[in-house]
Amino acid sequence: MVTIKDIAKKAGVSRGTVDRVLHDRGKVAPEKEKKIRRIAQELGYQPNIAGKGLAARKKHIRIGFVYISSDWAPFHGVIYESARQYARQELLPFGVEVHFFPFDLKDYEENFRTWDQKFIKAVREQRINGLVVVGMIGGHLQQVLEQNGIADIPFVLYNQNEDVKGKLAYVGCDYERAGRLACGLAALMTKNKAHVGIVSLDDGNMQSSLNRVVGFEAEIRERYPQIQIVEKYFTANVEEMSELFAEVQQMMERHPDMDVLYLANPGDYSLCQSIRRSGKTSDVRIITNDLVTECQREMVKNGTIDATICQEPEKQGVKPLEILFNYLALGILPETEWYKTELSVRIGQNV
Amino acid sequence: MVTIKDIAKKAGVSRGTVDRVLHDRGKVAPEKEKKIRRIAQELGYQPNIAGKGLAARKKHIRIGFVYISSDWAPFHGVIYESARQYARQELLPFGVEVHFFPFDLKDYEENFRTWDQKFIKAVREQRINGLVVVGMIGGHLQQVLEQNGIADIPFVLYNQNEDVKGKLAYVGCDYERAGRLACGLAALMTKNKAHVGIVSLDDGNMQSSLNRVVGFEAEIRERYPQIQIVEKYFTANVEEMSELFAEVQQMMERHPDMDVLYLANPGDYSLCQSIRRSGKTSDVRIITNDLVTECQREMVKNGTIDATICQEPEKQGVKPLEILFNYLALGILPETEWYKTELSVRIGQNV
DNA sequence: CTGAAAGCGCTAACAG
DNA sequence: CTGTTAGCGCTTTCAG
């Protein structure tokens, strides 16, 4: 293990100088710099994380974390809880504070200027020096920051990707792949000749459901020509889940050969229970996405849902913080721009 | 963040004394001890990991890691590589050395006394103070250590559990659950009425395949009464994989209704290719375990294998080291005796 | 039995 | 532009 001290001794300079060279801060005489870099290279210097970590508390790092707090989005609740726990247990010991900013989509639409102003104020006053933002509003927030002259704060997005200036990385799943995986499951369930109905609780323009459907269809084309999508039904606003159920029932009457139902965007999945209760339609295989509430787990366990595709919500909360910590505290740049979460298949036996 | 210093100040003693109390080393005046414990409690003292980590290098921790190096066990190759990388990247910076002990089952059977003696000698000379051992031989090695008067070295087992004295923890999957999961997949593929052939490359007494079959059968009883196991075939020694293929072909001729083949214990899976090539049997669904070689991945991707159940080999290499490090360097006891690896389902779309 | 001191590797702050 | 110093939190060692 070679330390900064070893380099300093060998180069005949002080540790401070070595530090300056290795972190490009301050000016150092060019020959010395060359020499130090060469020696560091030769010795194969690797900075010691424990040491860096201890010293990092001098930097007073404060990270802001914007999350969706709407109670109809339990998936984001899991992200939030994971992030909170990680912040307390792993980051606090390094002197890093994480400030959480709840964000409710419905409130926001009514009153977004207020929220934005509060946010800007908080970022300023709390001297936030890094941000984790749910992708959905990442682009917008970055604009707002820029308009207020605080454009240099490094960003990590999660759950949905956006092309934002200053973005360090994105953490989230590949939705198209998720759709392909759903198709693969449908094939497995039906000897490759499923008749699939796709239902989604959104207007069909959300990145997540849109790309899932794209992937599903691509997989049909490329691999399972016998699979058919008998119908797609998108709806952003249902008053009652029973309305949706009625729709689905009609869909199934129109297509009596339908044997797989794919819920491309999560609702509360109570639809699945309704389907199982109605005798007729009870042998259709149901594929969903995400598994966060106890109720959903139960449905997978008891076969109400046949298979579900998960995308590591915990990682979506934790990894962005880790990336930002590595960057701000340890000076380590992320290895990739897109940290893909794993797509795992859950059935009754491995929920 | 409350530190040892804070406690010392508040208790009117030195940091050394606090440290002694908190780690039960040396003697401390009873009243002082009481007081210190109370204050630590009140202040909610949490030792700082970064600090501990930095100081840990004074302890000169050396961990021995026994792994299966036989080249017909690529699964263990993955474990080894993961452990190696973790040792270099995460443990070395804390001054922890990991010494690896390869272990080849075939050599060993011929010449186990030599291996044992070498091992004992190495543990002594290299002053190993913690061991990670593949479960298969964990019990035996512990005996050997005891007979040689070095019984106090903490142990972590992986991949297979054994009831060993001095065991800190076990890291590995729940094989019975893996078998249940295989059954669930078979059900999914056949509308709950599979006719299953089970084939395993062992004598039927290995913990892994034995428990997988137990789980498979339990799941049939409890959940899928319509599923039948048409035949089980165990064989420890095949000269040629073509022999095994011949067996399987005969099995399928005996049971023309067989629609799922479950390979309970991994071989090289070339059997699957043979099955696909022979036209007749090509529409049987094949379920396997583990996914480590590129060739296996390819088979899942192209549908030669329909589904496979993985058990996180990387974690089996890394977690035991982490547990031992936490124990030896940071004084943290493992949270549980059994760290279960996740059972994940892989199909063509998420290999 | 207890306190004081040194040091793990690194960085920020200050003094030249 | 550069060296020195102090200190992050903890443990070990040595002196009393």
Side-chain angles (χ1 to χ4, degrees):
Chain A
M1 158 107 282
V2 33
T3 76
I4 229 169
K5 217 165 152 186
D6 301 329
I7 300 176
K9 197 196 288 180
K10 199 152 187 178
V13 298
S14 75
R15 285 141 80 200
T17 306
V18 175
D19 185 71
R20 271 182 287 269
V21 170
L22 261 29
H23 295 88
D24 304 314
R25 47 171 156 260
K27 294 276 134 206
V28 174
E31 336 84 71
K32 283 193 180 175
E33 172 165 355
K34 279 257 165 59
K35 192 173 182 187
I36 289 169
R37 283 199 196 284
R38 185 174 49 73
I39 292 176
Q41 185 68 249
E42 281 172 11
L43 263 43
Y45 170 71
Q46 294 278 100
N48 183 300
I49 295 182
K52 278 202 169 200
L54 246 198
R57 53 179 53 239
K58 300 193 181 178
K59 297 186 178 175
H60 301 293
I61 293 170
R62 279 169 293 257
I63 297 175
F65 192 112
V66 181
Y67 69 100
I68 291 179
S69 59
S70 318
D71 52 4
W72 46 265
F75 184 81
H76 289 272
V78 175
I79 294 177
Y80 169 64
E81 286 303 333
S82 313
R84 258 179 70 88
Q85 190 181 335
Y86 183 77
R88 293 184 62 86
Q89 292 196 353
E90 310 291 328
L91 261 26
L92 205 55
F94 290 100
V96 175
E97 294 170 15
V98 180
H99 301 222
F100 286 90
F101 300 97
F103 179 91
D104 187 302
L105 269 177
K106 289 213 177 104
D107 291 2
Y108 188 71
E109 277 163 15
E110 290 167 15
N111 208 344
F112 71 96
R113 289 205 61 78
T114 313
W115 197 95
D116 288 352
Q117 288 317 310
K118 266 196 196 159
F119 178 68
I120 288 292
K121 199 168 158 231
V123 168
R124 268 225 185 81
E125 285 178 0
Q126 295 165 30
R127 324 187 75 232
I128 299 291
N129 34 32
L131 278 172
V132 179
V133 180
V134 57
M136 206 174 224
I137 52 167
H140 170 70
L141 281 191
Q142 171 62 11
Q143 273 193 342
V144 172
L145 287 171
E146 228 167 59
Q147 286 160 8
N148 285 271
I150 25 183
D152 52 345
I153 297 185
F155 254 87
V156 178
L157 298 186
Y158 67 90
N159 190 251
Q160 190 173 309
N161 205 355
E162 288 218 20
D163 195 20
V164 172
K165 217 177 67 185
K167 183 177 68 173
L168 262 181
Y170 161 64
V171 178
C173 84
D174 183 335
Y175 290 105
E176 191 186 316
R177 232 172 114 78
R180 285 177 181 268
L181 183 51
C183 186
L185 286 171
L188 209 63
M189 292 165 171
T190 59
K191 300 195 200 294
N192 302 352
K193 40 185 189 282
H195 294 242
V196 186
I198 298 182
V199 171
S200 189
L201 266 178
D202 66 293
D203 57 10
N205 282 319
M206 273 192 66
Q207 207 185 94
S208 53
S209 75
L210 190 68
N211 287 334
R212 279 177 182 138
V213 174
V214 166
F216 202 105
E217 290 175 332
E219 199 68 10
I220 292 179
R221 274 198 310 281
E222 296 169 19
R223 189 157 175 175
Y224 305 110
Q226 291 184 78
I227 292 186
Q228 288 172 36
I229 296 179
V230 296
E231 196 170 330
K232 288 184 267 191
Y233 181 73
F234 290 86
T235 177
N237 292 308
V238 283
E239 299 284 310
E240 283 287 325
M241 286 305 279
S242 60
E243 283 177 43
L244 185 62
F245 175 51
E247 282 302 332
V248 172
Q249 268 192 316
Q250 287 168 31
M251 184 193 287
M252 295 175 90
E253 274 161 28
R254 281 194 291 275
H255 310 280
D257 55 352
M258 185 176 133
D259 49 9
V260 171
L261 178 67
Y262 176 39
L263 293 187
N265 217 40
D268 63 2
Y269 295 147
S270 63
L271 172 66
C272 310
Q273 291 170 320
S274 310
I275 291 174
R276 292 311 182 204
R277 284 202 203 99
S278 82
K280 284 193 252 180
T281 56
S282 60
D283 63 338
V284 68
R285 293 287 193 186
I286 300 178
I287 301 171
T288 65
N289 289 289
D290 300 336
L291 199 57
V292 287
T293 67
E294 202 37 59
C295 169
Q296 287 168 2
R297 270 173 216 285
E298 197 43 52
M299 282 194 251
V300 175
K301 258 187 207 155
N302 68 25
T304 304
I305 293 169
D306 291 285
T308 188
I309 296 167
C310 301
Q311 51 162 318
E312 298 191 288
E314 299 82 7
K315 186 167 171 180
Q316 297 191 22
V318 167
K319 196 76 192 178
L321 287 173
E322 195 187 317
I323 292 170
L324 224 36
F325 174 75
N326 282 339
Y327 178 65
L328 294 170
L330 312 181
I332 300 172
L333 273 168
E335 286 173 8
T336 165
E337 230 201 4
W338 184 356
Y339 285 80
K340 292 195 185 187
T341 53
E342 290 249 330
L343 293 168
S344 70
V345 173
R346 303 282 160 174
I347 65 176
Q349 286 78 15
N350 72 336
V351 280
Chain B
M1 157 110 282
V2 33
T3 76
I4 230 170
K5 218 167 154 185
D6 300 330
I7 300 177
K9 199 196 287 178
K10 199 151 188 178
V13 299
S14 77
R15 286 141 82 197
T17 306
V18 176
D19 185 72
R20 271 182 288 268
V21 170
L22 262 30
H23 296 88
D24 303 314
R25 47 172 156 258
K27 294 275 135 209
V28 174
E31 338 83 70
K32 282 193 180 174
E33 172 165 355
K34 280 257 163 59
K35 191 172 180 186
I36 289 170
R37 282 198 198 284
R38 185 175 48 75
I39 292 176
Q41 184 69 248
E42 282 173 9
L43 264 43
Y45 171 71
Q46 294 278 97
N48 183 299
I49 295 182
K52 278 201 171 204
L54 244 201
R57 55 179 50 240
K58 300 191 181 176
K59 297 187 179 174
H60 300 295
I61 293 170
R62 279 170 293 257
I63 297 176
F65 192 112
V66 181
Y67 69 100
I68 291 179
S69 58
S70 317
D71 53 4
W72 46 265
F75 185 81
H76 289 272
V78 175
I79 294 177
Y80 168 64
E81 286 302 332
S82 313
R84 257 177 71 88
Q85 189 180 336
Y86 183 77
R88 293 183 63 86
Q89 291 196 354
E90 309 291 328
L91 261 27
L92 204 55
F94 289 100
V96 175
E97 293 171 17
V98 180
H99 300 222
F100 286 90
F101 299 98
F103 178 92
D104 188 302
L105 269 176
K106 290 214 175 101
D107 292 1
Y108 188 71
E109 278 162 16
E110 292 169 14
N111 208 343
F112 72 96
R113 289 205 61 78
T114 314
W115 198 95
D116 288 352
Q117 287 318 311
K118 265 196 197 160
F119 178 67
I120 288 292
K121 197 167 160 232
V123 168
R124 267 226 184 80
E125 286 179 357
Q126 294 165 31
R127 324 187 73 233
I128 299 291
N129 33 30
L131 278 172
V132 179
V133 180
V134 56
M136 207 173 222
I137 52 167
H140 170 70
L141 281 191
Q142 171 62 9
Q143 273 194 339
V144 172
L145 287 171
E146 228 167 59
Q147 287 160 8
N148 286 272
I150 25 182
D152 53 343
I153 297 185
F155 253 87
V156 177
L157 298 186
Y158 67 91
N159 190 249
Q160 189 172 311
N161 205 354
E162 289 218 17
D163 194 19
V164 171
K165 218 177 66 182
K167 184 177 68 172
L168 262 183
Y170 161 64
V171 179
C173 84
D174 183 336
Y175 289 106
E176 192 187 316
R177 233 172 113 77
R180 285 178 182 268
L181 184 51
C183 185
L185 285 172
L188 209 63
M189 292 165 172
T190 60
K191 299 194 200 295
N192 303 351
K193 37 185 191 281
H195 294 242
V196 187
I198 298 183
V199 171
S200 189
L201 266 179
D202 66 293
D203 57 11
N205 282 320
M206 273 193 67
Q207 207 186 94
S208 53
S209 75
L210 190 68
N211 287 333
R212 279 177 182 139
V213 174
V214 166
F216 202 103
E217 289 173 334
E219 198 69 10
I220 290 178
R221 274 198 309 282
E222 296 169 20
R223 189 157 175 174
Y224 305 109
Q226 292 184 78
I227 291 186
Q228 289 172 37
I229 295 179
V230 296
E231 195 170 333
K232 288 185 269 193
Y233 181 72
F234 290 87
T235 178
N237 292 307
V238 284
E239 299 284 310
E240 284 285 327
M241 286 304 280
S242 60
E243 283 177 41
L244 184 62
F245 175 52
E247 281 305 329
V248 172
Q249 267 192 318
Q250 286 167 31
M251 183 192 289
M252 296 176 91
E253 274 161 28
R254 282 195 290 277
H255 310 280
D257 55 353
M258 184 177 135
D259 49 8
V260 172
L261 178 67
Y262 177 39
L263 294 187
N265 217 38
D268 63 1
Y269 295 146
S270 63
L271 173 66
C272 309
Q273 291 170 320
S274 309
I275 291 174
R276 291 311 181 201
R277 284 202 203 98
S278 82
K280 286 192 250 179
T281 56
S282 60
D283 63 340
V284 67
R285 292 288 192 186
I286 300 178
I287 301 171
T288 65
N289 289 290
D290 301 336
L291 199 57
V292 288
T293 66
E294 202 37 58
C295 170
Q296 287 169 3
R297 268 172 217 286
E298 196 44 51
M299 280 194 251
V300 175
K301 257 187 209 155
N302 68 26
T304 303
I305 293 169
D306 291 286
T308 188
I309 295 167
C310 301
Q311 51 162 318
E312 297 191 288
E314 300 82 5
K315 186 168 171 180
Q316 297 191 22
V318 167
K319 196 77 192 176
L321 288 173
E322 195 187 317
I323 292 170
L324 224 36
F325 173 75
N326 282 336
Y327 178 65
L328 294 170
L330 313 180
I332 301 172
L333 274 167
E335 286 172 9
T336 166
E337 228 200 3
W338 184 356
Y339 285 80
K340 291 195 185 185
T341 52
E342 292 248 329
L343 293 168
S344 71
V345 173
R346 303 282 160 175
I347 65 175
Q349 287 78 16
N350 72 337
V351 281

